[in-house]
């Protein structure tokens, strides 16, 4: 169990640029989640996958955000045309099937200038 | 919809003091309840959990009891240490464990 891995740890980008983050879940965890956390707040649900199927997306997730999990293993989260309001910590978590808690990665901190 | 409300921080205590962080929830059905801890620069780590009413979760000296009658899951520790300084998040998951909802977090500062 090597834990959930996220890359990069930090990303600074200029407004209007596209960014992509990667998450490698714990192997054999078939559920993968993306959350966003802003300063002083708890994690806010964005989307989740069961294997390669994206089962739910938050209504808060604009069309500029897209996530994929093409082979049911790692996942990517892309933000197009970034805005300053996108600055946040993006957290990935995974869990095996069934009644299990989330296991989080250390997150990717995005700063949009 | 499902939600979690926890006491605002920061909470500042001296070492060896008693800790309580309040958490209440709103949920349909039979949620499971969790406490997560986040140390600076790190992701969230599961601290403890309880999956049904009257269950008590415990870990590292922390405890929380699932109280359905008061819809609460307060976190307690009898004697805090400086190393307990972190942000604590209360969370719930619905019946099917598909979605998890988090409170806004309570920052704990423990002074020597």
């Amino acid at each position: 169990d090597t834990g959930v891995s996220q890359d990069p740890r930090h990303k600074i980008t200029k407004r209007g640029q596209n960014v992509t983050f990667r998450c490698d879940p714990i192997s054999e965890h078939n559920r993968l989640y993306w959350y966003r956390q802003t300063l002083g707040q708890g994690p806010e649900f964005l989307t989740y996958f069961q294997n390669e199927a994206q089962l739910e997306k938050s209504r808060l997730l604009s069309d500029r955000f897209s996530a994929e999990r093409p082979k049911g293993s790692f996942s990517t989260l892309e933000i197009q045309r970034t805005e300053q309001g996108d600055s946040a910590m993006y957290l990935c978590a995974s869990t095996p099937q069934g009644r299990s808690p989330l296991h989080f990665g250390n997150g990717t901190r995005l700063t949009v200038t | 919809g499902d939600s979690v409300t926890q006491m605002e921080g920061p909470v500042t205590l001296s070492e060896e003091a008693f800790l309580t962080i309040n958490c209440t929830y709103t949920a349909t059905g039979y949620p499971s309840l969790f406490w997560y801890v986040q140390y600076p620069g790190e992701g969230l780590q599961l601290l403890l959990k309880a999956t049904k009413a009257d269950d008590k979760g415990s870990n590292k000296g922390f405890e929380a009891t699932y109280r359905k009658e008061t819809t609460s899951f307060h976190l307690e520790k009898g004697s805090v240490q400086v190393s307990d300084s972190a942000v604590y998040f209360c969370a719930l998951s619905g019946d099917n464990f598909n979605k998890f909802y988090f409170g806004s977090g309570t920052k704990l500062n423990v002074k020597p």
Side-chain angles (χ1 to χ4, degrees):
Chain A
D1 182 351
T2 57
V4 177
S5 176
Q6 292 189 245
D7 183 68
R9 288 295 308 271
H10 303 276
K11 178 70 176 178
I12 300 173
T13 191
K14 293 184 177 179
R15 191 178 56 181
Q17 298 295 304
N18 298 346
V19 294
T20 300
F21 310 140
R22 176 180 171 123
C23 171
D24 287 88
I26 294 171
S27 60
E28 299 180 358
H29 279 196
N30 61 1
R31 288 185 181 174
L32 186 149
Y33 296 75
W34 286 99
Y35 281 82
R36 177 170 60 193
Q37 185 181 21
T38 53
L39 198 62
Q41 298 298 313
E44 176 185 50
F45 171 79
L46 294 179
T47 188
Y48 92 96
F49 293 82
Q50 181 157 312
N51 299 313
E52 65 276 10
Q54 188 173 20
L55 295 189
E56 189 166 345
K57 288 174 61 172
S58 167
R59 283 176 235 163
L60 301 173
L61 208 61
S62 80
D63 292 343
R64 297 183 297 104
F65 287 70
S66 63
E68 295 183 341
R69 194 183 182 197
K71 296 183 180 179
S73 56
F74 73 92
S75 175
T76 57
L77 177 67
E78 181 182 19
I79 309 174
Q80 297 183 329
R81 304 180 304 281
T82 51
E83 303 173 355
Q84 286 189 320
D86 298 331
S87 295
M89 176 77 84
Y90 289 84
L91 296 169
C92 178
S94 69
T95 184
Q97 188 83 26
R99 299 173 65 82
S100 298
L102 295 175
H103 299 256
F104 281 90
N106 285 336
T108 294
R109 181 168 294 285
L110 173 65
T111 302
V112 181
T113 62
Chain B
D2 294 358
S3 65
V4 173
T5 302
Q6 59 182 106
M7 64 187 284
E8 289 190 19
V11 174
T12 301
L13 296 173
S14 297
E15 206 165 22
E16 299 184 2
F18 184 85
L19 168 71
T20 300
I21 300 178
N22 291 338
C23 170
T24 57
Y25 68 89
T26 300
T28 54
Y30 304 94
S32 293
L33 301 172
F34 310 88
W35 278 100
Y36 281 81
V37 58
Q38 187 175 34
Y39 299 101
E42 298 184 12
L44 281 72
Q45 302 173 24
L46 179 67
L47 181 59
L48 53 84
K49 67 176 182 179
T51 57
K52 61 183 188 295
D54 299 324
D55 268 2
K56 177 185 283 188
S58 62
N59 186 24
K60 300 180 181 178
F62 290 90
E63 294 183 340
T65 301
Y66 187 159
R67 301 284 189 201
K68 193 169 177 64
E69 64 275 14
T70 54
T71 62
S72 66
F73 192 56
H74 305 321
L75 182 68
E76 297 182 335
K77 186 175 186 182
S79 176
V80 293
Q81 306 300 311
V82 172
S83 57
D84 294 326
S85 298
V87 182
Y88 293 82
F89 293 93
C90 187
L92 73 81
S93 177
D95 291 344
N96 55 14
F97 270 68
N98 280 351
K99 290 183 71 173
F100 294 75
Y101 300 88
F102 289 82
S104 57
T106 303
K107 185 172 184 178
L108 171 66
N109 296 315
V110 181
K111 300 185 300 184

